[in-house]
Amino acid sequence: MEILSGNSCDPLQLSSLALAFVGDTVYDLLVRETLVSDANRPVNALHRLAVDKVKASAQAQAIKDILPLLTEEEASVFKRARNTRTHHLPKNSNPADYHYATGLEALFGYLYLKGEIQRVREIFRLINGR
């Protein structure tokens, strides 16, 4: 499958934080799309629900739940990103959760840039129990 921009790159040549940069948006879009398709709600309610799902603690729990279901390659991408030294921590974030969340976002970025959209959807469904 092709990514939205039509551009191509080798995601293995990108830094873990660059993968997480893309994956953050991919994951956020999937969350927003799910919330909007579930019910027509006021935007402020959608925003609160989205924040609950994309915050570091929720993402950390999500990756811990699905880690045994990842391929070796996917687990490797996650672990490389989780172990990356970050120079910024959100003020209300637990450092361990933040590193796990970065790993999850990198995984989504990696799969998206690789064009593995079906796998992105599958992992997202696993996280959301659908």
Side-chain angles (χ1 to χ4, degrees):
M1 286 210 163
E2 189 175 318
I3 62 174
L4 288 174
S5 70
N7 297 333
S8 65
C9 68
D10 179 2
L12 286 176
Q13 299 301 312
L14 298 174
S15 73
S16 294
L17 295 180
L19 294 174
F21 175 75
V22 172
D24 175 55
T25 297
V26 171
Y27 192 79
D28 188 56
L29 178 60
L30 290 166
V31 166
R32 289 170 180 245
E33 180 183 299
T34 301
L35 291 172
V36 167
S37 64
D38 283 348
N40 190 11
R41 299 177 173 104
V43 175
N44 60 347
L46 289 169
H47 177 72
R48 279 193 309 275
L49 290 167
V51 167
D52 284 344
K53 292 191 177 282
V54 300
K55 64 185 175 185
S57 60
Q59 288 183 349
Q61 187 58 55
I63 191 65
K64 288 173 185 174
D65 290 345
I66 65 160
L67 197 52
L69 306 173
L70 300 181
T71 67
E72 238 179 87
E73 176 185 1
E74 292 164 351
S76 176
V77 168
F78 161 73
K79 289 174 185 174
R80 183 172 61 114
R82 179 197 62 196
N83 296 334
T84 298
R85 179 178 297 199
T86 57
H87 301 288
H88 171 272
L89 269 174
K91 61 181 170 184
N92 294 325
S93 180
N94 169 324
D97 284 350
Y98 187 75
H99 286 284
Y100 270 82
T102 299
L104 176 71
E105 291 170 351
L107 175 61
F108 272 84
Y110 173 76
L111 292 171
Y112 173 79
L113 291 172
K114 230 178 132 182
E116 293 188 17
I117 307 306
Q118 284 303 114
R119 184 61 175 156
V120 167
R121 289 181 183 134
E122 184 179 334
I123 291 173
F124 189 75
R125 275 190 228 109
L126 290 170
I127 289 170
N128 288 290
R130 296 176 179 210

